[in-house]
Amino acid sequence: MRYFIELSYKGTNYHGWQIQPNALTIQEILQKALSALLKNETEIIGAGRTDTGVHASYYIAHFDSDSEIDINKTAYSLNKMVPYDIAINRIFQVKDEAHSRFSAISRTYKYYITLKKNPFTLETQTYIWGKLDVDLMNKACEILFQHIDFTSFSKLHTDTVTNNCSIIQAYWENGNNELIFTIKADRFLRNMVRAVVGTMLEVGRGKITLSDFNSIITSKNRSNAGVSAPAQGLFLYYIEYPSTIYI
């Protein structure tokens, strides 16, 4: 039987989701805890990678079990076994063909910026000093919808077959000394959101024009885009799945 784990984590202390040698990751901690709990070596497959220091307010992983488990008891026990910065929200059974990564039809990320230095959000927001033209940054969002190839915002030398993505939503919200960028797409490239944010900040500062922003995308050259925004402001916010995978 296949189960989905819905979890949240603060990525500050971790080198992202995916297991890697000589680095602490979410997947490694969760996999060890679940294997110990079920008394069986259990592989956990995640919805995708998150970079070092990036957070997830909503994340999905799946695992298989030969026998039915008590989902509430397992979620409760797993929460006691993992560190304070990882939270198991629920476990639920899905159809056998459901896949946490490949069944997803969209993902939503949010990037949080504070315009006022705040010692209490140093690890979950990025502090930006100076004024930003948010209206101009929202006009840059509109340019994203005109393109599908986002090579200019992709980490170099990845193993992806295509750099095409369909942007569904992209907008900036201006709050009380806070900016929030929301972007939703059918898929994302590695480091894409942080590269988009970093380049849009250049638009907001008046360092590049909207025409420059468009040219950066059409150039399909990562070196033309801005520096990636810091990891601590980025959250994987939601993952959407088709209703057909649920039981």
Side-chain angles (χ1 to χ4, degrees), residues 1 5 29 46 53 81 94 127 131 146 156 167-169 177-178 183 203 210 224-225 242:
M1 284 165 280
I5 305 177
I29 287 177
M81 297 172 72
V94 292
Y127 170 53
K131 291 197 70 173
Q146 302 170 19
L156 298 175
I167 307 293
I168 301 165
Q169 285 182 333
N177 291 316
E178 182 182 69
I183 186 166
V203 173
L210 292 174
N224 290 333

Side-chain angles (χ1 to χ4, degrees), residues 30-49:
L30 199 56
Q31 200 160 276
K32 284 182 178 178
L34 186 63
S35 296
L37 185 61
L38 299 181
K39 296 180 173 58
N40 184 43
E41 196 66 35
T42 305
E43 183 182 18
I44 296 177
I45 306 296
R49 297 174 177 175

Side-chain angles (χ1 to χ4, degrees), residues 9-18 20 23-26 49-57 85 109-112 121-126 190-191 194 229-236:
Y9 58 83
K10 183 168 176 263
T12 306
N13 297 323
Y14 303 98
H15 289 256
W17 162 264
Q18 188 167 317
Q20 50 187 294
L24 186 64
T25 67
I26 307 293
R49 297 174 177 175
T50 53
D51 292 337
T52 298
V54 171
H55 318 291
S57 49
D85 47 10
Y109 283 87
K110 286 185 180 285
Y111 195 92
Y112 296 87
T121 62
L122 287 174
E123 296 176 338
T124 55
Q125 290 182 325
T126 297
R190 288 201 62 191
N191 201 239
R194 290 169 60 195
Q232 71 266 20
L234 183 60
F235 283 72
L236 175 56

Side-chain angles (χ1 to χ4, degrees), residues 204-222:
R205 293 181 177 115
K207 292 187 175 182
I208 62 173
T209 65
L210 292 174
S211 178
D212 293 334
F213 185 76
N214 187 70
S215 296
I216 286 168
I217 299 174
T218 57
S219 73
K220 301 177 185 178
N221 188 334
R222 177 64 184 92

Side-chain angles (χ1 to χ4, degrees), residues 80-98:
K80 293 176 67 177
M81 297 172 72
V82 298
Y84 73 96
D85 47 10
I86 302 173
I88 310 303
N89 300 322
R90 63 176 178 137
I91 296 174
F92 55 98
Q93 190 177 351
V94 292
K95 293 181 180 177
D96 291 346
E97 66 271 17

